[in-house]
Amino acid sequence: MRPTVSEIRQAFEHPETRAAATSGAAPLDRISLRDHVVEVEIGAFQAERGVRQRISFNIVVELTPVSGPIDDDVDRILSYDRLTEAIHTELAAERLNLLETLAERIAERILAEPRAFRVFVRIEKLDRGPGALGVEIVRSADQAGHAEVMEAPVPHPLIVHLTPEALQSANLSAWIDAIAADPRPAILTVGLPEGDWPKAGHKAAQRRIDLLAIEQNAWTLAARDPRCVVRATRTELDWAMKQGQISVWAPSKLVLDAVHGPKEGIAEMVAWLGREVSAAAILCLGDCEVEGAEFRDPNGEITLLS
């Protein structure tokens, strides 16, 4: 059967058009990545060895419906970062000769995500001729699982808890310099601010008030140094850890959403976070009692690099 004009046109459209044209009676939600360009060494020809060339990625993922409301919660959706992470993880794994192999591996990795149903992957070489040379594949969840998917490296962050006296220390900027220089990603935690904050006669209400007071303290720290960015969701923390960035933890969301979360007290909360993110170490600056933490005098100097 000869292809129709529309089928020929769709073949050269963005994969999102292909996904829409081939969707079933009940179309699925889709997320997409357009024109993501990376310089990498790839190719089977001798002229492609030892040189880097620009590769363009266009990806569309069809998603199974989420159970229950999303509630504007980034942790309940498939993040766009998972698409770029799939690309960079596979590019870092080994040098490849074929775009077809790279496309297959990226598709396998994306389809390992719980909500991924079908994925369109288009990869093009931009520097091998007057136009773009590439491949496009379509894979669905029932085709995945046959190849072993290498797990992306799991970051093990350094957690640094800053007590009120540490936050007021003249050494704070030097400590943040040392934390930024450490090769490990870092998550800074703070406790309740000094002074007064609202009090309630109800335990659950007071818990929420205290968590919000901690977050106000976190924002105060972030305002003092642009390297310290407040992050509240696991998706945000994971992304920052993979980028080697410093986060200041705003605990309300993770603590209140946890089935077996910390019950009370900043010390328990910090230790719980350390277990949740598989922390390499917990450093406590000031007089605090966090299980498994290494304590330092807030008036002294710290050297994090070994």
Side-chain angles (χ1 to χ4, degrees):
M1 180 182 298
R2 296 180 61 184
T4 66
V5 173
S6 63
E7 288 174 331
I8 294 173
R9 180 182 60 79
Q10 289 165 8
F12 291 94
E13 290 283 357
H14 186 271
E16 191 167 343
T17 301
R18 294 276 304 280
T22 58
S23 61
L28 299 170
D29 293 343
R30 294 186 292 271
I31 64 171
S32 64
L33 174 70
R34 288 175 177 264
D35 303 326
H36 181 73
V37 179
V38 179
E39 285 194 358
V40 64
E41 183 185 339
I42 191 171
F45 291 92
Q46 188 61 40
E48 296 177 291
R49 295 188 177 275
V51 297
R52 297 169 70 84
Q53 57 181 305
R54 292 177 302 145
I55 306 295
S56 174
F57 296 86
N58 285 276
I59 297 175
V60 172
V61 186
E62 292 181 329
L63 307 170
T64 56
V66 66
S67 59
I70 295 177
D71 291 331
D72 204 33
D73 184 350
V74 69
D75 288 338
R76 287 183 58 77
I77 56 97
L78 175 58
S79 172
Y80 310 108
D81 296 327
R82 304 298 283 176
L83 307 188
T84 55
E85 180 183 305
I87 292 169
H88 291 279
T89 298
E90 293 303 335
L91 288 176
E94 63 175 314
R95 185 197 184 281
L96 295 175
N97 291 326
L98 302 177
L99 294 183
E100 289 84 350
T101 304
L102 179 58
E104 287 278 0
R105 293 184 180 181
I106 290 172
E108 286 277 353
R109 179 170 294 281
I110 292 173
L111 288 170
E113 297 291 333
R115 289 190 59 207
F117 175 76
R118 189 167 65 155
V119 60
F120 295 71
V121 180
R122 176 183 290 179
I123 310 177
E124 296 171 305
K125 295 181 179 181
L126 304 181
D127 300 326
R128 286 291 293 163
L133 309 175
V135 301
E136 181 177 321
I137 67 171
V138 183
R139 296 292 183 270
S140 58
D142 57 4
Q143 295 173 297
H146 304 296
E148 182 178 352
V149 177
M150 182 189 69
E151 290 295 328
V154 177
H156 296 284
L158 176 71
I159 292 181
V160 181
H161 181 67
L162 301 170
T163 62
E165 59 264 33
L167 288 171
Q168 297 301 320
S169 172
N171 292 322
L172 180 61
S173 293
W175 289 336
I176 295 175
D177 289 341
I179 292 167
D182 193 278
R184 295 167 291 188
I187 301 175
L188 308 184
T189 63
V190 297
L192 289 163
E194 293 186 306
D196 296 327
W197 62 93
K199 300 296 188 292
H202 188 278
K203 186 175 182 180
Q206 188 62 52
R207 179 172 173 78
R208 287 178 176 267
I209 291 170
D210 290 348
L211 287 170
L212 290 174
I214 291 172
E215 295 188 358
Q216 289 180 321
N217 214 12
W219 281 104
T220 301
L221 171 59
R224 297 174 63 178
D225 193 304
R227 294 170 294 182
C228 302
V229 179
V230 176
R231 296 184 170 98
T233 67
R234 184 59 189 265
T235 299
E236 291 177 292
L237 288 172
D238 286 344
W239 180 86
M241 287 189 289
K242 290 168 184 174
Q243 305 303 313
Q245 296 184 4
I246 299 175
S247 297
V248 185
W249 185 38
S252 292
K253 176 172 173 49
L254 290 183
V255 168
L256 294 175
D257 287 352
V259 177
H260 302 292
K263 300 304 179 185
E264 58 184 47
I266 188 62
E268 183 183 351
M269 198 179 302
V270 173
W272 174 82
L273 177 66
R275 294 190 295 271
E276 286 292 302
V277 299
S278 301
I282 299 176
L283 183 66
C284 187
L285 298 177
D287 184 15
C288 55
E289 298 180 359
V290 178
E291 180 183 353
E294 178 184 352
F295 299 92
R296 296 296 177 100
D297 185 333
N299 296 314
E301 295 183 355
I302 62 170
T303 302
L304 299 177
L305 292 170
S306 58

